[in-house]
Every structure is written in structure tokens, then in C-alpha cells.
Amino acid sequence: KKNCHLKVKRAIEKGLLIKPKKCTHCGVIEELQAHHIEYNKPLEVLFLCDKCHKEIHKQIREQERLLVS
């Protein structure tokens, strides 16, 4: 997980990955976080605001909970 975050950081620094100014989910302009859809694809990320990032993780936990029950 940390390795993926480091790869994103380095790709942004090298200009290989462009970090947008707006959240890719809601469009708000604020500090964004990289959300990895799959950790085996470290540069495939969504750049999300804190609120949307938390919401996506909440949805993922809910889906996992439903799969287990």
C-alpha cells in the first residue's frame, strides 16, 4: 500500500501523472487524495477530496459486509 502511494507521488513529481485541481467525483477544489482502485495497478487512481474518499471507503466496507453475510 505504501509502495503504491510512493509510486503515485513520484509519477506526479516526474509529470507522468497529473493531479487535477478538482475532485474527480464531486468537483470541489481542495487538497486531493489518491484513491487506488486496485493496488496491483498503482498508477490507476482517482483523485478525491477527503469527503468523497471517505464515502467511497464506506461503500466498499458495506459491499464487503454484504458479501460476507
Side-chain angles (χ1 to χ4, degrees):
K1 191 174 177 178
K2 285 185 180 183
N3 188 35
C4 289
H5 293 155
L6 185 58
K7 285 183 179 184
V8 168
K9 181 180 177 184
R10 287 184 179 150
I12 292 169
E13 289 170 352
K14 292 178 181 178
L16 302 173
L17 189 62
I18 306 298
K19 186 175 181 180
K21 304 278 186 217
K22 298 178 182 180
C23 174
T24 55
H25 186 70
C26 73
V28 70
I29 298 174
E30 65 177 49
E31 188 61 35
L32 302 177
Q33 304 167 5
H35 171 74
H36 294 87
I37 299 162
E38 294 182 42
Y39 284 109
N40 62 343
K41 298 176 183 175
L43 297 182
E44 289 187 20
V45 295
L46 297 173
F47 286 100
L48 304 168
C49 67
D50 185 61
K51 181 180 175 184
C52 289
H53 199 186
K54 286 178 181 175
E55 183 60 34
I56 283 182
H57 279 281
K58 180 180 172 185
Q59 291 172 7
I60 291 168
R61 285 190 304 275
E62 181 64 21
Q63 288 174 354
E64 290 171 347
R65 187 186 67 77
L66 291 173
L67 288 174
V68 173
S69 17

